[in-house]
Amino acid sequence: MAGFPFVVERFDPSAATDEDFDAYHRVVAGSQSVERPDEVPLTRDAVVARLSTPFPGLGATLYWVARSGGTIEGVAQARLPEDENAHLGLVEVVVRPDVRGRGLGSALYAAVVPELRSRGRTVVETSQVVAGGDGERWAVGRGFGVVRSIAVQSLSIADADRSLWTVDVPDGYRVLRWRGTAPDEWVASYAEARGGIHDAPVGGQDRSEPDWTVERVRRAEEEFHRQDVDQRVVVVVHEATGRVVGLTEVIVLPYRQYEALQGDTVVVAAHRGHGLGRCLKGTMSWWLAGRPGLQHIRTATSTDNAHMLAVNHALGYATVRTMLTVNAELPRRP
């Protein structure tokens, strides 16, 4: 649109000014208020902390901003996962709601693409698209395909019926829990059990779940520790074999103390059908309810995973919105 000149450039959070952080916050908080009104509003401090310590486990992060008159009006980031996902660029583009439709998002994406190509990435993907929102319309217009639908569900600690969390442990099993570091005696079977996530529904997304080993578990734990992330794990052990056969994991980020984010919940195939998933998540809910300041637990589940959605509803979770995963082959020219 004429009369709205802007420039796109790389952004280094370590060299940013207070004015940059103020504007960056206005962009992401403004977008959140329109597209995710159910969430606790992001504070400036939380945005700055997220820039300095990006969400763990997704590789290096690169940033771009679109400025008009020197002020940041749009932002983009690219995560560069490794190992089985080294072909992916996980991209998020956010433009302040009142200046959308003026080409900032497309210009930001155009700046990201050559960098991803230079790093050997062949697929662009994101799961941060609200169904029916501006982001979906923009992504589809850019040639992205919708490959997965995700139900975001939330459990309010204050309003929940806690009796729903009390689930008897089935005969022949017992429940254990730990924070931060898996005990040496359990880490091998815990890593093996985590592999059960590979048969969870993921639609057509290109991102693969990790191949868990003891070494990979320890690396993930170390990264959480470095970033002061509170990681909590509840597992169920099969008494007859002494093996971990089910688990659920949550994390609480240091700059989002009000919210626990659900990680994997897995029950090994041979042990499904006994109610272990609900038992695991109910135990975790009771544990988290004692954490000072925690307001809710948030989880994201494929809309075609009817079983896990039913488990969550049985524990008191409410579905708050639908998110989409979209992806596309990396274009030769944006």
Side-chain angles (χ1 to χ4, degrees):
M1 180 179 293
F4 195 82
F6 61 87
V7 61
V8 173
E9 61 189 21
R10 286 287 293 273
F11 181 68
D12 178 1
S14 68
T17 65
D18 286 341
E19 290 77 12
D20 284 342
F21 286 132
D22 290 342
Y24 202 110
H25 172 248
R26 283 194 296 271
V27 171
V28 296
S31 177
Q32 179 198 42
S33 68
V34 170
E35 298 179 346
R36 306 178 184 187
D38 58 283
E39 294 185 352
V40 175
L42 281 168
T43 66
R44 180 187 185 278
D45 287 347
V47 170
V48 173
R50 187 170 65 179
L51 287 167
S52 61
T53 54
F55 193 90
L58 296 176
T61 311
L62 307 174
Y63 300 98
W64 289 258
V65 295
R67 296 180 186 269
S68 177
T71 300
I72 295 172
E73 304 284 8
V75 302
Q77 71 171 30
R79 301 300 303 267
L80 303 172
E82 298 299 338
D83 301 314
E84 59 277 317
N85 291 309
H87 65 297
L88 278 179
L90 303 178
V91 175
E92 184 175 1
V93 177
V94 182
V95 175
R96 214 178 71 196
D98 59 325
V99 295
R100 290 177 180 174
R102 305 184 185 190
L104 279 75
S106 295
L108 283 161
Y109 180 57
V112 173
V113 165
E115 185 68 32
L116 295 181
R117 192 185 302 116
S118 73
R119 293 170 180 260
R121 308 291 156 151
T122 58
V123 175
V124 184
E125 187 166 284
T126 182
S127 297
Q128 300 302 311
V129 177
V130 178
D134 290 343
E136 181 183 3
R137 289 186 286 274
W138 180 87
V140 171
R142 295 293 307 178
F144 285 78
V146 176
V147 294
R148 187 184 183 193
S149 176
I150 303 164
V152 177
Q153 298 176 293
S154 183
L155 177 66
S156 169
I157 300 297
D159 300 330
D161 177 356
R162 299 189 181 193
S163 68
L164 300 176
W165 305 345
T166 301
V167 182
D168 292 336
V169 182
D171 291 342
Y173 300 91
R174 63 189 170 107
V175 169
L176 302 173
R177 69 186 197 186
W178 60 75
R179 292 178 69 180
T181 303
D184 289 341
E185 64 184 298
W186 299 113
V187 66
S189 64
Y190 168 63
E192 183 179 355
R194 293 202 70 156
I197 197 68
H198 286 282
D199 59 8
V202 296
Q205 75 175 38
D206 230 82
R207 182 178 166 195
S208 301
E209 296 293 341
D211 292 320
W212 288 102
T213 63
V214 171
E215 293 74 18
R216 192 158 191 169
V217 168
R218 293 302 190 213
R219 288 200 306 270
E221 291 170 344
E222 289 169 5
E223 184 172 8
F224 286 142
H225 178 72
R226 286 195 304 271
Q227 296 195 18
D228 196 28
V229 173
D230 180 9
Q231 179 202 29
R232 301 191 183 204
V233 177
V234 177
V235 303
V236 64
V237 174
H238 184 225
E239 296 277 26
T241 60
R243 307 289 294 175
V244 172
V245 297
L247 62 102
T248 192
E249 173 205 34
V250 302
I251 62 172
V252 180
L253 300 170
Y255 50 86
R256 295 171 71 169
Q257 298 281 333
Y258 53 85
E259 177 179 61
L261 302 175
Q262 178 73 57
D264 290 343
T265 297
V266 181
V267 176
V268 173
H271 296 269
R272 294 171 186 166
H274 302 291
L276 295 177
R278 187 176 170 194
C279 176
L280 284 161
K281 298 192 78 167
T283 301
M284 179 67 82
S285 299
W286 276 115
W287 190 12
L288 289 169
R291 193 183 194 281
L294 192 73
Q295 298 177 24
H296 58 260
I297 310 169
R298 191 175 297 273
T299 187
T301 305
S302 287
T303 55
D304 55 355
N305 191 345
H307 174 72
M308 187 54 66
L309 291 172
V311 167
N312 292 338
H313 281 302
L315 293 167
Y317 282 79
T319 300
V320 295
R321 68 174 173 277
T322 301
M323 302 292 289
L324 303 174
T325 298
V326 301
N327 68 21
E329 291 187 7
L330 192 69
R332 292 185 179 276
R333 291 187 298 174

